[in-house]
Amino acid sequence: MSNREREHTVLQSRHEVERRFHDEKAVSHHHHHGHGSNGHNFYAKGGMDPVWDAYLRSIGELDGMTILDFGCGEGWSTVAYCKRGAKVYCFDISPESLRNLVHDAEAAGVAGRIYPAVMAAEDLGYPSKIFDLVLGVSILHHTDVSCAGREIARVLKPGGRALFIEPLAHNIFLRIFRWLTPHRRTLTEQPMTDRQITDFIRAFRSGEYRGYQFLSIFSQGLFWLTGNEWLLRKTLHVTDRLDRWILSAFPFLRRYCWAAIIEVRN
Ligand SMILES: C[S@@+](CC[C@H](N)C(=O)[O-])C[C@H]1O[C@@H](n2cnc3c(N)ncnc32)[C@H](O)[C@@H]1O
């Protein structure tokens, strides 16, 4: 087997693992809970809101833009972008996730401006230079990052931007948490290292990343242990302010954060 064939086989089995895991998750959401609304889920309780708010601020106006929701999953972000006036192409490797997305888009009355496709991040079926913006939440770290980077650079218009929220690999407390909760994720997903992000950025004309949720991981941890939403809100309010101060005074600490916002330009 040649190197190329071997790489292809590795990528295919990785896709298979991801598809199965996320299909099962999407089917159970659809039948049991409504999407992502389980009790101790800090995403659903607003634990990631400071990062999402910063992300939306960096994205800016979406009205009239043609954008790509990269690895859209069940599409809560797809619907949000659409409501802000964008025409949204989106794809995911999991057909069941897309089924939930279409269902929700119809319910929200925005299905006419969404173009979903089952596709792999490393091999996009779109023509070159067609998107103003490529946006992705928690997705690059599931993919072969260098292949995905080449594809993003290809489909972006000249002057276009891509922004991603991704988890980071270097914080010791997060490493322990991930080690304690392996069922939460696939083996094919690995939080991103500082090195990986720097390499990713090189595929573009320019780019940088910022860190979020440094001390805030303790609010999240407390919520994970107690399920107390009031405590989450109160402590997050304080840790979020401290984080902003600490990270602007000591930018090198960004790699020890939970989340990164990566922004690149073509
Ligand atoms: C953590 S979820 C995030 C989904 C969505 N962006 C969100 O914020 O809810 C990761 C998603 O990546 C998809 N995925 C994993 N590997 C992929 C690949 N190589 N190409 C396309 N989608 C992929 C999974 O099916 C899953 O929906």
Side-chain angles (χ1 to χ4, degrees):
M1 203 190 262
S2 71
N3 267 351
R4 210 192 162 86
E5 283 167 341
R6 200 168 299 122
E7 276 168 23
H8 185 70
T9 313
V10 169
L11 197 57
Q12 268 189 331
S13 60
R14 169 182 209 141
H15 288 165
E16 197 45 48
V17 171
E18 288 282 339
R19 182 183 300 116
R20 194 170 312 141
F21 182 85
H22 289 98
D23 269 354
E24 277 170 19
K25 206 165 160 180
V27 168
S28 93
H29 279 170
H30 193 76
H31 291 311
H32 304 301
H33 310 298
H35 309 166
S37 58
N38 28 355
H40 282 222
N41 184 337
F42 37 66
Y43 298 95
K45 302 295 182 199
M48 274 305 204
D49 282 2
V51 189
W52 177 245
D53 290 344
Y55 184 65
L56 286 181
R57 274 197 301 279
S58 306
I59 291 172
E61 277 295 308
L62 285 184
D63 205 17
M65 296 260 203
T66 302
I67 75 177
L68 175 62
D69 192 348
F70 194 90
C72 57
E74 296 175 69
W76 60 275
S77 55
T78 321
V79 172
Y81 303 144
C82 235
K83 286 184 172 167
R84 301 173 98 225
K87 175 176 168 187
V88 191
Y89 289 76
C90 61
F91 74 87
D92 199 280
I93 199 107
S94 149
E96 292 298 338
S97 299
L98 290 176
R99 197 195 297 267
N100 288 353
L101 178 154
V102 170
H103 179 272
D104 287 359
E106 279 167 358
V110 294
R113 274 186 296 127
I114 288 181
Y115 305 88
V118 178
M119 215 182 263
E122 298 85 354
D123 185 17
L124 301 178
Y126 308 110
S128 301
K129 302 181 183 173
I130 59 162
F131 296 112
D132 298 302
L133 268 174
V134 174
L135 303 174
V137 179
S138 207
I139 169 68
L140 282 182
H141 76 286
H142 289 260
T143 68
D144 178 319
V145 183
S146 66
C147 292
R150 273 199 298 276
E151 281 295 77
I152 296 161
R154 180 179 71 76
V155 298
L156 269 181
K157 286 180 185 170
R161 289 186 302 152
L163 290 103
F164 293 89
I165 303 180
E166 297 296 331
L168 288 164
H170 302 287
N171 188 300
I172 183 73
F173 296 104
L174 287 171
R175 280 177 183 233
I176 294 170
F177 175 74
R178 285 172 185 138
W179 181 74
L180 287 172
T181 58
H183 58 280
R184 280 179 168 242
R185 59 199 74 80
T186 53
L187 284 173
T188 44
E189 102 179 70
Q190 292 298 333
M192 293 182 81
T193 62
D194 183 76
R195 179 53 151 317
Q196 256 186 321
I197 300 181
T198 313
D199 286 347
F200 172 77
I201 290 173
R202 285 210 188 97
F204 301 86
R205 188 169 56 80
S206 64
E208 67 280 320
Y209 85 93
R210 297 176 291 279
Y212 295 85
Q213 314 277 73
F214 176 57
L215 296 178
S216 296
I217 61 167
F218 294 107
S219 314
Q220 312 280 26
L222 213 56
F223 178 63
W224 181 65
L225 289 171
T226 66
N228 187 325
E229 213 176 317
W230 178 84
L231 203 60
L232 173 70
R233 276 188 214 296
K234 285 290 172 202
T235 55
L236 198 57
H237 185 68
V238 179
T239 51
D240 183 45
R241 284 180 162 214
L242 284 173
D243 279 354
R244 278 187 229 194
W245 182 80
I246 293 171
L247 291 162
S248 67
F250 309 103
F252 67 92
L253 288 174
R254 68 180 179 172
R255 68 162 65 194
Y256 299 107
C257 288
W258 182 1
I261 294 183
I262 307 168
E263 176 168 354
V264 292
R265 289 165 287 270
N266 235 8

